[in-house]
C-alpha cells in the first residue's frame, strides 16, 4: 500500500496542517515531500489550486511581476507566453507543480477552516472546519495570504441596485457586458486591468476614482517561439534572466526610502510619461498624484490611459453619495445610470486571519494577543502560539519585488524549524525576541515612503503598517537562511512520554 493511501486511512495526528493552497501552501507542501514528510494536508476553502489566481478570473487579469521571477526557483518555466503572465497561465503553472510533485492527494478542497486551538499537554493543534470536523496536527501553517477576502464597500443603496453587482474577485462570467452601461468603482491594480479589457465592448463605462495612482508603463510583449525554444534548450539562460530581473527589481527599493532623490526623480519621470499618454489637461489634473511615489502601490499598465481616452469612458472623481436602483449618485448630485456595477475595491488585507479563530496557550485568541497591535517574529511566529507558523504573514509583503522570493525564504526557515522540532515537543518564540524584532521593524518602516501621509491598504486604520517588509528582500533572505534557535523556547518530551513515542 502506498504511503499516501496509508495516510488517508490513518486517523493519527498529522505532522503538518497547511491552511491554503496558494503559492505559499504549495511551496510548503513540496518541501515537506522532498524532506520525506508525507503526513500532511492542505485545507483549501475553494475548489481549486493557486489561491488568488484561482479566484481572480476577471478580464485582463495578469501579474505585475515578470513571469520568469513569478515562479518557483526550483521549477522554472521556459514556456511563459508573455513578459507578464496572464492569470490562466499562472493558474495552470501551479496545477503543473501540484501534479509534478504529487501534492494533489494531500489537498482537501471545499474545506474551510474556522478555528484551531493548541493543547499544551499533548502539544497538538486541533483544527476545526465549518462542518464541525476536527483534525489534529503537530504543526499548523497558515498559508492563506492577504488577497483572499474581497472588500465590499459600505455604500448606501448598494443592496438595492436593480442590475448585476459583483466584486472583481468574484467575477460573474454569466453577465454579458456587451452594449451595457457599466460602473467600475475603484481605480487601482484590478481596475486598471479590467477597464481596458471591457471598454471596447461596453456602451458606456463610468470609472469612479477615489485617489489617483502612479502608473508606470508595463512594456509587456509576447515571447517568441524562438526565445522559448532557446530557454528549453539552454536552461541556464532562464536562470540568468531570472537573476537579472531580480536585481533590477531589488534595486528599486532605494527609490522607496523616505526623502530619496532617486524616488523624486522617478516620480517626475513617471508623471511626465503619464501626461504624454493623456492629452486632455483636465483629465491630467484628475490622474496625477500629489503624494510621494510608492506611498501607495505603484501600478503597471500599457493600456489603461488609452482606455480612458476613449469617447465611451468617463473618469469620475467627485466621490459616491449613494447607489440608486438604476445608477450611481455622486456627491455633486450627478446620476450615472448603469446596468452593471463592478466593485474593484480590493481586499481585507489588514484582517490577516479573517474568520479563523486561532487559540494558543491558555486558550488565548490571536486577536486578543494582537489587540494592541500586530507583532510577530520575522512575520512567521507569535509568542504563545507554539508549533504555529505564518507564510506571507504580517510585514512580509513587498512593494518592489517578487513575493515568491519571500515565500521560498520563509518555507526554508520553517523546514529548519521542523527539523529541530522533530524530536521535541514544541517550539515557541520568546517574547523578548519578538519585541526586539518588532521595534527594529517599525524603526525601519519609519524610514520608508510607505509611512508617508497617504491612505493606502498597507496600513491599518490607526496608521500602523502591518503588510510590508521594511527592507530589501536580500536582507530578509540573509536573516532567515539559518534560524537563531536561542530566540525560541524549545520544550522537550518528558521521559515517560518519550518512551511512549518510541
Amino acid at each position: 500500500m502506498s504511503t499516501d493511501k496509508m495516510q488517508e486511512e490513518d486517523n493519527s495526528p498529522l505532522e503538518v496542517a497547511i491552511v491554503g493552497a496558494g503559492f505559499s501552501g504549495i511551496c510548503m507542501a513540496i518541501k515537506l515531500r522532498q524532506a520525506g514528510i508525507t503526513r500532511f494536508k492542505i485545507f483549501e476553502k475553494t475548489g481549486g489550486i493557486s489561491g488568488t489566481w484561482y479566484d481572480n478570473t476577471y478580464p485582463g487579469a495578469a501579474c505585475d511581476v515578470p513571469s520568469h521571477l513569478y515562479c518557483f526557483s526550483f521549477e522554472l518555466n521556459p514556456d511563459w507566453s508573455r513578459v507578464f503572465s496572464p492569470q490562466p497561465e499562472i493558474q495552470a503553472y501551479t496545477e503543473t507543480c501540484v501534479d509534478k510533485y504529487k501534492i494533489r492527494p494531500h489537498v482537501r478542497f471545499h474545506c474551510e477552516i474556522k478555528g484551531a486551538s493548541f493543547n499544551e499537554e499533548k502539544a497538538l493543534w486541533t483544527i476545526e472546519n465549518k462542518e464541525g470536523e476536527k483534525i489534529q496536527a503537530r504543526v499548523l501553517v497558515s498559508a492563506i495570504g492577504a488577497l483572499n477576502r474581497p472588500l465590499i464597500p459600505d455604500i448606501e443603496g448598494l443592496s438595492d441596485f436593480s442590475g448585476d453587482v459583483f466584486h472583481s474577485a468574484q467575477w460573474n462570467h454569466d453577465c454579458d457586458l456587451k452594449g451595457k452601461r457599466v460602473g467600475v468603482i475603484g481605480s487601482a491594480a484590478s481596475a486598471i486591468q479590467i477597464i481596458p479589457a471591457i471598454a471596447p465592448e461596453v456602451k458606456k463605462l463610468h470609472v469612479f476614482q477615489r485617489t489617483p495612482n502612479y502608473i508606470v508603463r508595463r512594456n509587456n510583449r509576447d515571447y517568441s517561439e524562438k526565445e522559448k525554444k532557446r530557454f528549453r534548450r539552454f536552461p541556464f539562460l532562464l536562470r540568468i534572466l531570472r537573476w537579472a530581473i531580480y536585481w533590477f527589481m531589488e534595486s528599486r527599493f532605494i527609490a522607496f526610502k523616505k526623502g530619496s532623490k532617486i524616488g523624486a526623480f522617478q516620480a517626475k519621470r513617471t508623471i511626465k510619461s503619464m501626461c504624454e499618454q493623456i492629452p486632455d489637461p483636465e483629465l491630467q489634473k484628475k490622474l496625477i498624484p500629489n503624494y510621494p511615489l510608492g506611498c501607495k502601490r505603484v501600478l503597471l499598465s500599457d493600456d489603461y490611459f488609452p482606455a480612458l481616452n476613449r469617447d465611451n469612458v468617463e473618469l469620475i472623481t467627485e466621490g459616491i453619495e449613494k447607489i440608486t436602483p438604476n445608477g450611481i449618485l455622486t456627491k455633486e448630485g450627478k446620476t450615472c445610470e448603469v446596468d452593471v456595477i463592478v466593485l474593484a475595491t480590493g481586499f481585507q488585507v489588514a484582517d490577516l486571519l479573517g474568520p479563523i479563530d486561532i487559540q494558543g496557550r491558555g486558550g488565548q485568541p490571536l486577536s486578543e494577543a494582537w489587540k494592541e497591535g500586530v507583532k510577530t517574529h520575522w512575520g512567521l511566529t507569535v509568542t504563545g502560539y507554539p508549533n504555529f507558523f505564518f507564510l506571507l504573514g504580517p510585514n512580509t509583503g513587498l512593494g518592489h519585488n517578487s513575493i515568491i522570493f519571500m515565500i521560498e525564504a520563509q518555507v526554508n526557515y520553517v523546514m529548519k524549524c521542523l527539523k529541530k522540532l522533530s524530536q521535541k515537543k514544541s517550539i515557541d518564540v520568546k517574547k523578548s525576541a519578538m519585541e526586539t524584532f518588532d521595534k527594529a521593524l517599525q524603526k525601519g518602516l519609519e524610514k520608508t515612503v510607505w509611512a508617508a501621509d497617504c491612505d493606502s491598504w498597507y496600513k491599518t486604520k490607526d496608521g500602523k503598517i502591518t503588510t510590508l517588509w521594511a527592507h530589501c528582500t536580500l536582507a530578509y533572505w540573509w536573516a532567515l537562511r539559518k534560524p537563531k534557535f536561542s530566540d525560541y523556547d524549545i520544550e522537550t518530551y518528558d521521559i515517560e512520554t518519550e518512551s511512549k513515542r518510541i
Side-chain angles (χ1 to χ4, degrees), residues 45-63:
K45 69 179 181 179
T46 72
I49 296 293
S50 78
T52 190
W53 298 108
Y54 177 80
D55 296 333
N56 288 269
T57 59
Y58 57 80
C63 189

Side-chain angles (χ1 to χ4, degrees), residues 287-359:
L287 290 166
I288 301 305
N290 61 357
Y291 53 83
L293 177 77
C295 185
K296 293 171 68 73
R297 181 178 175 180
V298 178
L299 307 179
L300 304 178
S301 179
D302 295 327
D303 49 13
Y304 180 60
F305 294 129
L308 291 185
N309 290 329
R310 292 177 60 95
D311 292 337
N312 68 328
V313 178
E314 178 185 18
L315 181 69
I316 300 169
T317 59
E318 297 96 72
I320 297 172
E321 180 66 28
K322 67 177 182 179
I323 307 293
T324 68
N326 300 310
I328 301 172
L329 177 66
T330 72
K331 291 189 175 180
E332 292 189 357
K334 176 182 177 181
T335 299
C336 301
E337 293 188 352
V338 295
D339 306 303
V340 179
I341 295 177
V342 176
L343 304 174
T345 47
F347 300 87
Q348 301 176 53
V349 177
D351 186 10
L352 294 160
L353 285 168
I356 302 177
D357 179 24
I358 303 292
Q359 298 183 9

Side-chain angles (χ1 to χ4, degrees), residues 113-297:
I113 302 302
K114 74 172 186 178
S117 59
F118 185 71
N119 183 309
E120 295 181 60
E121 183 180 347
K122 297 180 180 179
L124 288 175
W125 281 96
T126 298
I127 302 109
E128 185 176 359
N129 64 22
K130 282 212 165 181
E131 285 68 45
E133 180 187 5
K134 295 182 178 180
I135 307 106
Q136 289 190 320
R138 286 197 70 206
V139 174
L140 176 61
V141 176
S142 170
I144 62 175
L147 306 180
N148 66 89
R149 292 178 302 282
L151 176 62
I152 306 300
D154 183 17
I155 302 175
E156 182 186 347
L158 184 60
S159 60
D160 298 325
F161 181 65
S162 61
D164 289 303
V165 181
F166 47 87
H167 191 275
S168 58
Q170 300 165 332
W171 194 269
N172 181 2
H173 290 279
D174 292 329
C175 178
D176 185 3
L177 300 182
K178 190 173 182 179
K180 290 186 178 179
R181 300 165 300 177
V182 179
V184 175
I185 299 177
S187 60
S190 298
I192 68 166
Q193 295 182 344
I194 293 168
I195 289 161
I198 68 173
E201 66 180 52
V202 302
K203 179 180 180 180
K204 183 69 177 179
L205 181 56
H206 303 277
V207 179
F208 293 86
Q209 171 188 284
R210 185 173 59 180
T211 310
N213 298 284
Y214 284 96
I215 302 179
V216 179
R217 291 181 190 269
R218 185 186 290 267
N219 294 321
N220 202 6
R221 69 171 181 86
D222 292 337
Y223 281 114
S224 68
E225 288 304 317
K226 184 181 289 186
E227 286 176 300
K228 288 186 278 187
K229 184 177 180 180
R230 192 180 300 129
F231 289 148
R232 287 191 291 269
R233 186 175 180 184
F234 305 107
F236 72 91
L237 293 177
L238 275 180
R239 191 70 58 186
I240 293 171
L241 176 58
R242 182 185 177 88
W243 277 111
I245 296 169
Y246 169 79
W247 285 113
F248 169 74
M249 298 190 73
E250 186 73 346
S251 68
R252 300 191 307 170
F253 178 74
I254 301 170
F256 296 135
K257 300 292 284 185
K258 192 175 286 185
S260 167
K261 291 182 180 179
I262 293 175
F265 171 76
Q266 289 293 346
K268 289 180 181 178
R269 186 179 177 183
T270 301
I271 290 173
K272 181 182 177 183
S273 173
M274 290 170 64
C275 289
E276 288 172 353
Q277 299 173 72
I278 312 163
D280 183 353
E282 291 303 314
L283 191 55
Q284 286 180 8
K285 290 178 185 178
K286 293 180 178 181
L287 290 166
I288 301 305
N290 61 357
Y291 53 83
L293 177 77
C295 185
K296 293 171 68 73
R297 181 178 175 180

